[in-house]
Amino acid sequence: RALARAPGACPAAEPSMGLSEDLEDFIRRSGIDDRAAQALRNEDEKTQRSVLDRGDMSDCRNPSASLMARIRVAKEGGSFSGGGGRGRSRSPSPRGGGYGGGGGGGSS
């Protein structure tokens, strides 16, 4: 009982064996394909931990694709907060302008 710890807690002194066990457990529970599982295993510990800290993938429609996206975001150093705000505020190009298709008068 002294080993109980908060989910996602990662003491600095914990050996990577703990991460390895967490990783394999995550892979089993996630239902990801072999290619995605191997991609996660091949990442560095920081990326692996970031992906695992994101939590369960049971609600994902395509867990393997979701895992690959999580890996990509973790490697970019991004957060998983959602709301891809990248590039959105640069130029708010108006939609629907310039085509003149507005149903103006039918001439006969």
Side-chain angles (χ1 to χ4, degrees), residues 16-102:
S16 61
M17 187 61 187
L19 175 59
S20 179
E21 290 172 1
D22 290 348
L23 197 63
E24 294 306 314
D25 186 49
F26 176 84
I27 289 168
R28 273 192 303 275
R29 287 182 290 120
S30 296
I32 58 176
D33 63 31
D34 291 340
R35 183 178 148 270
Q38 195 57 47
L40 181 59
R41 288 183 187 111
N42 290 339
E43 293 301 329
D44 59 64
E45 288 185 20
K46 182 180 176 190
T47 301
Q48 291 173 342
R49 181 54 64 192
S50 180
V51 170
L52 268 60
D53 286 349
R54 174 70 199 265
D56 195 299
M57 294 181 39
S58 62
D59 60 340
C60 296
R61 190 180 322 185
N62 185 338
S64 297
S66 297
L67 174 62
M68 298 306 288
R70 287 185 185 187
I71 291 171
R72 185 182 69 248
V73 171
K75 287 170 72 170
E76 291 172 353
S79 68
F80 292 106
S81 62
R86 193 182 339 185
R88 196 91 168 130
S89 61
R90 265 197 271 152
S91 58
S93 58
R95 300 213 188 262
Y99 289 114

